Amino acid sequence: MCSFICQPLAYLAVRLSASHMMVSQASSAVEHEAVATVLIIGASRGIGLETVKAALEAGHSVRALARSARRIPIDRPKLEKMAGDALETATVKRALSGVGVVIQSLGVSAGPEVILKPTRFFSKATRVLVTAMEETDVKRLICVTGFGAGDSRGRGGFVYTLAFHLLLGRVYDDKDVQEWIVRRSKLDWVIVRPVILTDGPKTNAYRALVDPRDWTCGFISRADVADFLVKQIDDDTFLHKTPVLTSSLPTSRSEPTRSPHRRAA
């Protein structure tokens, strides 16, 4: 009698368990796919362009937003080029549709106005973005500012600090406000502060320093910065932190770039 009853019940249990696994796997796949769609703002040059390349190489779908997006010298099936102004709320909200992660890498053209005139470009664009993300329920923001912003100002030594103040002081006054906007938001943010940028290749030899006692000036390639940014798409190691990126040798208080705490799928 037990065999007559138990065998059908066991068979039914196996089928139900298999069905549950299939549903769970399908749900997980859909969720992972949603998170893997990345919006990169400021994508047409510099760190932004390198990040487009790195994100595509990592297998992510990329939406690249920039005023000159059509001139991005890449054509891939997973790349959508979106021409638009990061200061326009309607444009930013449209760009956020279907996105799980945002990487913001803004820059200004070099020229006398950068030295002589104050700017509010970074803070304005960030306020538009943060408000739009909160309203559209997009949570993950990876924001690039720079070494010298926020509480990293004055940490590069006398010569660097003097040159920094004379050449980029007005820009970084606005980056201070930019960081403040991100920090007080409800988002899952990482603020990334690279040191002096170069056009060198990706080396994977960089360090992400979170302890202020380790912060120092140095050099890092835009390709290495992009590599780090893409790793933050599904890694919580630096969540709500402000790592300084540099090619400096590691110290005992430095956090390695390769000890990922992966986000749950």
Side-chain angles (χ1 to χ4, degrees):
M1 176 66 72
C2 179
S3 176
F4 178 77
I5 296 175
C6 292
Q7 286 181 0
L9 288 176
Y11 174 77
L12 179 60
V14 170
R15 292 298 298 270
L16 288 173
S17 176
S19 299
H20 175 72
M21 288 176 63
M22 291 174 64
V23 170
S24 297
Q25 289 171 355
S27 174
S28 177
V30 169
E31 189 173 356
H32 178 73
E33 183 180 355
V35 170
T37 302
V38 185
L39 170 63
I40 300 176
I41 299 177
S44 62
R45 61 181 181 174
I47 293 173
L49 180 57
E50 291 296 328
T51 305
V52 170
K53 298 175 185 177
L56 290 170
E57 186 66 25
H60 298 292
S61 296
V62 175
R63 180 174 295 150
L65 175 64
R67 283 177 291 184
S68 55
R70 294 186 181 90
R71 295 203 295 268
I72 293 174
I74 305 169
D75 289 295
R76 299 275 284 275
K78 288 189 174 183
L79 173 61
E80 176 190 355
K81 302 176 187 179
M82 184 175 179
D85 192 335
L87 295 174
E88 295 178 353
T89 299
T91 298
V92 173
K93 281 191 173 181
R94 187 168 69 252
L96 287 169
S97 178
V99 163
V101 180
V102 179
I103 298 176
Q104 184 200 49
S105 177
L106 299 173
V108 292
S109 299
E113 64 277 4
V114 171
I115 300 173
L116 300 175
K117 296 181 180 179
T119 180
R120 295 178 60 198
F121 171 68
F122 299 97
S123 58
K124 282 183 176 180
T126 301
R127 185 170 283 109
V128 168
L129 175 61
V130 167
T131 301
M133 288 181 68
E134 290 178 342
E135 290 178 353
T136 56
D137 202 33
V138 178
K139 295 295 186 183
R140 188 83 162 190
L141 173 60
I142 304 158
C143 174
V144 182
T145 58
F147 183 54
D151 58 354
S152 68
R153 183 170 294 204
R155 298 277 182 170
F158 175 75
V159 175
Y160 175 82
T161 300
L162 179 61
F164 172 90
H165 178 76
L166 292 175
L167 298 175
L168 296 173
R170 293 179 182 272
V171 168
Y172 273 74
D173 286 343
D174 195 46
K175 285 181 179 283
D176 289 346
V177 181
Q178 178 187 19
E179 288 198 359
W180 180 80
I181 293 168
V182 173
R183 281 173 173 271
R184 69 187 297 269
S185 73
K186 301 175 183 177
L187 304 177
D188 296 332
W189 55 265
V190 181
I191 294 174
V192 182
R193 297 164 168 173
V195 291
I196 299 172
L197 298 168
T198 74
D199 290 324
K202 183 175 76 169
T203 68
N204 289 319
Y206 59 85
R207 299 291 295 180
L209 310 175
V210 295
D211 192 313
R213 291 172 294 177
D214 294 332
W215 291 346
T216 183
C217 185
F219 296 88
I220 188 168
S221 70
R222 291 174 176 85
D224 274 338
V225 176
D227 180 75
F228 179 80
L229 297 177
V230 171
K231 285 181 170 63
Q232 307 319 302
I233 290 173
D234 58 359
D235 184 345
D236 287 339
T237 302
F238 296 96
L239 191 64
H240 294 153
K241 295 182 181 179
T242 57
V244 169
L245 291 191
T246 180
S247 58
S248 300
L249 293 175
T251 71
S252 60
R253 294 182 297 274
S254 304
E255 291 199 19
T257 59
R258 294 185 178 276
S259 297
H261 298 188
R262 296 293 176 186
R263 299 170 67 193

